[in-house]
């Protein structure tokens, strides 16, 4: 791969890596950014996704910009926020958090916002926010109990992963499916292509 085509993913998410590979793009390096993701007071979910994705991209850029090996890379960052109205659901780490989130999502619609931020080799920052509306079926107590036992909720925004068991909870989705997984592929590849990254390079390899 040429130097100009090196892509750094400022995330450690296996889901985002898998989505990029699905599109024929294999990141040259993963750089998870450990930032405080606590929403500011009264911060809108959309604004939070925008702020965190930009902060992650900028943090990665600052780390590599003077590095001869990686300083000319494209840096891609993303952050996904799940919300009911203006209420932001955190990434569930405790079972009680997950249970509360699932009870809240049961039988109603919610929004998934993903901020995608790209910094090119020239240091220019480009950003897009993608939103998807998702409606869950009404979950029984047994549905929730069994899903909690699966452990799939751990570390997930909104306490669920649509590509797993929770996909069976979804009655309707309006917008990008890959956005709900964690990285909207259409918009991401448009951004990369618009900044000169050849998204087709990996299509003929392997």
């Amino acid at each position: 791969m040429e130097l100009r085509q090196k892509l750094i993913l400022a995330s450690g998410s296996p889901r985002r890596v898998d989505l990029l590979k699905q599109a024929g793009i294999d990141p040259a390096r993963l750089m998870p950014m450990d930032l405080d993701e606590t929403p500011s007071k009264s911060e809108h979910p959309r604004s939070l996704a925008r702020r965190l994705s930009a902060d992650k991209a900028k943090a990665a850029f600052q780390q590599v910009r003077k590095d001869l090996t990686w300083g000319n890379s494209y840096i891609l960052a993303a952050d996904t926020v799940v919300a009911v109205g203006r209420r932001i659901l955190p990434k569930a780490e405790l079972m009680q958090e997950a249970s509360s989130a699932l009870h809240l999502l049961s039988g109603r619609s919610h929004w998934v916002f993903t901020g995608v931020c790209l910094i090119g080799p020239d240091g220019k920052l480009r950003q897009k926010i993608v939103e998807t509306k998702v409606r869950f079926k009404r979950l029984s107590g047994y549905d929730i109990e069994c899903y909690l036992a699966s452990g799939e909720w751990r570390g997930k925004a909104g306490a669920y992963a649509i590509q797993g068991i929770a996909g069976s909870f979804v009655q309707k989705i309006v917008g990008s499916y890959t956005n709900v997984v964690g990285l909207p592929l259409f918009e991401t590849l448009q951004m990369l292509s618009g900044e000169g990254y050849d998204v087709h390079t990996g299509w003929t390899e392997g």
Side-chain angles (χ1 to χ4, degrees), residues 43-206:
E43 189 169 22
H44 190 279
R46 183 185 181 94
S47 300
L48 177 63
R50 179 187 298 276
R51 175 172 65 83
L52 291 179
S53 60
D55 286 351
K56 290 175 182 179
K58 291 174 184 176
F61 178 72
Q62 288 300 318
Q63 285 192 26
V64 304
R65 67 189 183 93
K66 295 183 179 180
D67 189 309
L68 293 178
T69 302
W70 298 102
N72 205 37
S73 301
Y74 290 82
I75 296 174
L76 180 68
D79 193 85
T80 300
V81 176
V82 175
V84 176
R86 291 181 63 96
R87 179 175 175 181
I88 296 169
L89 302 186
K91 293 176 181 175
E93 298 296 344
L94 303 175
M95 190 171 289
Q96 184 55 51
E97 291 176 329
S99 178
S100 296
L102 292 168
H103 278 95
L104 182 62
L105 297 175
S106 175
R108 68 194 303 174
S109 295
H110 62 276
W111 290 93
V112 179
F113 300 90
T114 299
V116 183
C117 188
L118 177 67
I119 299 180
D122 59 358
K124 176 184 174 184
L125 185 148
R126 187 176 179 190
Q127 194 169 27
K128 187 167 184 65
I129 308 298
V130 181
E131 55 189 66
T132 304
K133 189 177 184 180
V134 182
R135 182 172 182 85
F136 268 22
K137 73 172 186 175
R138 188 167 298 282
L139 302 176
S140 69
Y142 191 55
D143 285 333
I144 293 175
E145 179 184 341
C146 291
Y147 189 67
L148 291 174
S150 77
E152 280 194 0
W153 51 270
R154 199 176 302 278
K156 307 295 193 305
Y160 77 93
I162 196 172
Q163 70 275 20
I165 297 167
S168 65
F169 299 163
V170 177
Q171 280 187 326
K172 186 177 182 180
I173 180 170
V174 181
S176 167
Y177 170 81
T178 54
N179 181 51
V180 185
V181 179
L183 188 70
L185 283 181
F186 172 73
E187 292 82 1
T188 299
L189 266 66
Q190 273 202 323
M191 289 175 66
L192 284 166
S193 182
E195 292 304 309
Y197 186 94
D198 185 359
V199 299
H200 304 93
T201 299
W203 291 16
T204 56
E205 296 178 354

Side-chain angles (χ1 to χ4, degrees), residues 9-21:
L9 179 62
S11 170
S13 166
R15 297 171 297 284
R16 293 189 178 117
V17 173
D18 288 346
L19 284 167
L20 285 172
K21 287 184 177 180

